[in-house]
Amino acid sequence: MSREIDEGLERAEQTRPIPVHLNTRVKFLWEKVAKQDTKRLARLAGVSQRTAQRWSHALKELAEGRLAGDIPMTKANAGKVEQAVRTAWQPRVKQRVRRDAEKNGFMLHISGTFGFSASGGTTDDPCPRVISQKMPGSVAQALHAARDTRATQAQQEAILAEALGERYFKDGGRRARGLDVELNDVARMDVEI
């Protein structure tokens, strides 16, 4: 699944990247978020309580030097751990960045494939573009609301396409009336607050 929009928003919301190593990620969840409670760890990571108990046992073995390497886990569970860490990482920084973006707007840097259709029924073939555009706080609100409801990449692309259609392509209604913009693919997206 493509996550360029989510990842772009996450980069803007962090002053430090999430831990790289799996063991450090599990330790962060275990100590800082779950407060050494296996039920809470299981709920955070979306795994069974027994799996969370195995992870806590493995962390203990790591600390005592009886386990070398990464905590044994499936790729699917490693992905769940990564997502749980991303969600819990730097909550105050995320709140501040979100509040600022929704109040003052943000600078959007996006590389993607855009398609167009005009009111006369004509369409242009989709073409790649790199765009930097100042976006209003209402777009930040819409993107954050979409993320809160776990919207798909396609739903988030539709929000950005509509906003870029108004702000960039139509220049606030001064040109290209009747133009519909479609964002077909996002190669990369970054946000500056």
Side-chain angles (χ1 to χ4, degrees):
M1 181 179 119
S2 187
R3 296 189 64 245
E4 287 81 9
I5 295 173
D6 283 336
E7 290 171 1
L9 291 171
E10 285 172 6
R11 282 190 295 274
E13 294 173 345
Q14 298 173 352
T15 57
R16 295 185 331 242
I18 67 169
V20 174
H21 299 289
L22 180 63
N23 294 351
T24 311
R25 290 175 178 177
V26 174
K27 185 177 179 181
F28 166 76
L29 288 176
W30 175 245
E31 293 177 354
K32 304 288 185 190
V33 185
K35 308 290 188 206
Q36 300 187 0
D37 180 340
T38 55
K39 283 184 183 179
R40 193 178 296 158
L41 178 61
R43 192 172 48 251
L44 285 167
V47 297
S48 70
Q49 187 174 352
R50 180 66 189 121
T51 298
Q53 289 169 345
R54 283 195 294 272
W55 293 349
S56 68
H57 182 70
L59 285 172
K60 184 178 179 183
E61 288 181 333
L62 277 168
E64 295 170 353
R66 293 185 291 140
L67 177 65
D70 284 337
I71 295 170
M73 108 175 31
T74 65
K75 283 186 179 183
N77 283 348
K80 290 177 182 180
V81 167
E82 179 180 354
Q83 189 57 44
V85 171
R86 285 187 187 283
T87 301
W89 193 248
Q90 294 186 312
R92 283 184 242 143
V93 173
K94 284 181 184 179
Q95 290 170 356
R96 185 185 72 237
V97 168
R98 181 176 179 160
R99 184 180 60 244
D100 291 349
E102 290 178 356
K103 180 181 178 189
N104 303 320
F106 63 97
M107 189 67 168
L108 174 68
H109 304 283
I110 190 166
S111 173
T113 304
F114 292 85
F116 312 94
S117 63
S119 57
T122 61
T123 59
D124 292 335
D125 288 333
C127 61
R129 289 186 186 245
V130 178
I131 297 172
S132 291
Q133 177 67 41
K134 176 75 173 157
M135 303 302 283
S138 60
V139 176
Q141 290 171 350
L143 283 173
H144 284 118
R147 282 180 70 205
D148 291 346
T149 60
R150 300 192 187 279
T152 65
Q153 175 86 4
Q155 291 167 320
Q156 294 176 30
E157 286 174 356
I159 292 168
L160 286 176
E162 183 179 340
L164 284 167
E166 282 301 313
R167 304 291 291 186
Y168 181 80
F169 293 102
K170 295 180 185 178
D171 194 19
R174 289 189 280 276
R175 65 171 186 250
R177 288 193 173 97
L179 181 72
D180 290 321
V181 178
E182 185 176 301
L183 179 54
N184 300 321
D185 184 34
V186 177
R188 178 141 174 111
M189 187 193 98
D190 282 305
V191 172
E192 281 181 57
I193 307 299

